[in-house]
Amino acid sequence: MEESFFPQQHNEGFDRSALRDQYLRRETQRAIQVPVGDEGPALPGVAKRANSLFGFDGSGGFVPFPISVPETTAALTLIPVATFDRLAGETDDLGRFQRCAAYCVVANAAMYIDRDYFIGSTWTPPAGLMLRGPLSQNARIVYTGAADGISIAGAIDMDGIIVDGGIANFAAYDRSQAPNRFTLLGIHGDMLVTPGYLAGIRIGRVQVQNSKTLGFCMANVTDPQIGELSIVNCAAHGSLWTGVRRLRIGRFSAVNIGTTSGITAHFGQAMLITCQGAPEAAWYGINGAMPTSDLQIGQVQIRDTTDTAFYINDDRSKGCTGIQIGSVDIDTAGKDGFKIRSSGLPVTDVQVGSVRVNNVAQVGFGLESCQRVSVGSLQVNLCGQDTIGDRPRGLPERWRVSEVSPELATAGAVGGIVTVLGVLGQGVRWLFGWNDRRADRIAKEETELNERRGEYLSAIEGRLERVERSDAQRAKENWALRAAFEIVAAELRRVDPGNASLTRAEELLKAAFPLPVVPTAEIRAAMDALDTITLDEEAA
């Protein structure tokens, strides 16, 4: 009796078995296999096989071979300055600094600033010193003298250091007088006897603060590496860069920089790349300045300066070329924002990713006597004079600004037709209602752009929906075709296991319509349905 064989249940059982066998076959084909008769080797435990390569011993078993890993650098030995006491007659910490530094160089250890220390005279660290600190306001090097603070003339590796100029209350400090020509933290090669570049400068994070004089100066130095340099509260220029070659600095920031002695006698440039016309330190020699080239500066952030915030010039014709800057962000300057000029050799090959200038007294962005200047994007707001200053004078026009509004570019081309009236009442308004018209035009363009964007997104979503439906249907068809073949092939293999045509057909279908290694939700549901069939249901 045919019905006693339950053909439907048999077919479903065969289907399930075929799917199971295919799934297991795909899994086992990806495993390591050994010839028939060999015993499969066992992997060693995690602890034994970590950092190892697999090999085989004399019996064919797995053996872990350790990978050669470079030895890690031993922990740096820190020698706190407090380890060395003040000697009789010493009124500050300069002596213990000198003794600690000399010991650390010989011992290949790092001199550690573990708390506040006060020095009243210039400290010159020995070459090869490693200087470390926690970058904490409770662990500063405080200079209380009236000359150069720290003068570095040899290789040094420093990180986590705060150098303080000794102004306890900077907000109450009288910044109306021009400062003495000294530097709080100076790193320099020879500028007086045999000018040349100093090498071996590595700086992780350093902050210079509360300075009565120039905060930071780097001169005649090659290949310096600086992670982050911050200048905070400086009653003179923030930083000066003279004769620097192949500088790499990740981030520079300056806040609250400069004197308030009047616009003709300001000392308030946050980042000044130039050769100054007057000495800025006892070791600074104008005639000994080397050329400046190949500077790579990541991010620059400047806020509240009394003079030009970011200034590049080469009035002394020392040579200044090849400066790359990721971004410059300036907010509030007593003179210009970003400026390049020279009365000597032209500054050349300057590339800046983006410049944003806000709230400056005179020119927002100024170029004069420079060549091949490229700015990716430029945004200038609230300027007392020109939005964009002079183009290069007497030289071919080889500077480019992209992503700037036509009105802004026109303002620069005519020498700054658009000027700012000032901050009065409700804020700043441009002449002739230009700002209002520009706002209306921008609003209209944004509305049109949003409409086009909506239409485009709707079209894309429709296409994706159709593609997804088509893919789902095709996947079902592929699975059904392959599954049907396996059902029929199972019977043919029983009759003729070595049939070459059957093997060839299987290979073709396997390549064209592969079944998923992990069963899909639909396949798993079918398998689960088969598992729920009971003997009582079959009998019924």
Side-chain angles (χ1 to χ4, degrees), residues 225-247:
Q225 307 288 324
I226 302 177
E228 181 174 356
L229 175 62
S230 301
I231 313 292
V232 181
N233 296 341
C234 186
H237 296 316
S239 68
L240 171 63
W241 310 78
T242 299
V244 180
R245 183 175 64 178
R246 294 193 293 272
L247 166 70

Side-chain angles (χ1 to χ4, degrees), residues 280-293:
E280 293 294 340
W283 46 262
Y284 193 99
I286 302 169
N287 296 328
M290 303 294 288
T292 295
S293 64

Side-chain angles (χ1 to χ4, degrees), residues 108 121 176 288 314 328 342 393 397 404 420 534:
N108 196 29
S121 304
S176 64
D314 190 17
V328 179
S342 178
R393 294 180 179 176
E397 182 179 319
V404 183
V420 177
T534 64

